Amino acid sequence: NDAGQGDRLDLTGSVGPGGATLQVVESGAFAGVNPFDFLIINNDGAHAVSGTLGAIINQLAFLTPTVAYNAGDGNDVRLRLTPNNVVGGGARWLPNPATGNWNTGTNWDPATVPTGTARFLESTRTTIDFSPGTTTIERILFEAAAPAYTFDLNAFGGADILDITGAGIVNQAATRPSFFLIAAGGPGQGTLNFRNASSAGNAIIDTFQGTLVSPAINFLNGSNAGTANLNSRVGGWIGFADTSSAAGA
């Protein structure tokens, strides 16, 4: 975590990582812009470290890992996680948010509604709704440990519009996210827009018409449906415009 706490091996004698795989797994929220350092091998002996680690499996897309083999008193192994620009105006959905509302800043870390990358890992709230109006996000990232999330664009109280303008939906988890678009009466409808070169990834997206107003999935500009499941039920709308494509959906 960002307090520098993590697993550590205390060893004596000769130390050789032997090409072992290092897996970086988050156990708490990360905040701040400075590099985070972790002593992962504390070598009590006088020998230098022989060899290096092999692959680094990193679940934290917003942190770049590097390893030094001459840290500490000169022969310890240090992992450094340096914040990168992947998140850019982004935030992580909290493990235990107070509500399931996307547009509530205190449900995110840092406490602001993201506009760059919205990151999802484990959480006690996996059904998420939106406040009426337009919500804009560049990328929705589901990291490897993310459970199955459900996003409701239900238009209760007004139109719910989600504009995805960057990379789109990026899913690294074994589960698949679901989006439900519902027309809830009056002028309100749920709308999901993919713009620019964004992709729907492997999401499951359903439209349900509850009134004469149809909920809509719109692919615009050069966006694509990826390998998503697109389902239009009872009059929902799925549209492709400009140079957008269904891809492998």
Side-chain angles (χ1 to χ4, degrees), residues 72-89:
D73 58 6
N75 63 349
D76 300 322
V77 180
R78 180 201 68 211
L79 169 67
R80 170 168 289 178
L81 299 176
T82 303
N84 54 45
N85 63 358
V86 169
V87 174

Side-chain angles (χ1 to χ4, degrees), residues 36-96:
F36 305 100
D37 288 338
F38 305 87
L39 196 67
I40 57 175
I41 297 179
N42 179 32
N43 181 9
D44 289 338
H47 300 287
V49 176
S50 175
T52 62
L53 292 163
I56 300 177
I57 299 175
N58 179 27
Q59 290 188 2
L60 311 178
F62 65 107
L63 296 171
T64 299
T66 55
V67 177
Y69 299 92
N70 59 350
D73 58 6
N75 63 349
D76 300 322
V77 180
R78 180 201 68 211
L79 169 67
R80 170 168 289 178
L81 299 176
T82 303
N84 54 45
N85 63 358
V86 169
V87 174
R92 174 195 168 176
W93 185 252
L94 289 177
N96 188 26

Side-chain angles (χ1 to χ4, degrees), residues 153-155 158-161 181-191 213-216 218:
L153 293 155
N154 53 39
D160 285 355
I161 302 171
L181 285 63
I182 304 171
Q189 70 180 51
T191 302
V213 178
S214 296
N218 296 311

Side-chain angles (χ1 to χ4, degrees), residues 97-136:
T99 71
N101 182 255
W102 176 295
N103 302 96
T104 300
T106 52
N107 287 335
W108 298 91
D109 179 28
T112 183
V113 179
T115 57
T117 295
R119 298 175 48 239
F120 292 90
L121 287 91
E122 303 96 330
S123 181
T124 57
R125 293 188 184 270
T126 58
T127 298
I128 297 173
D129 58 28
F130 297 81
S131 299
T134 299
T135 299
T136 301

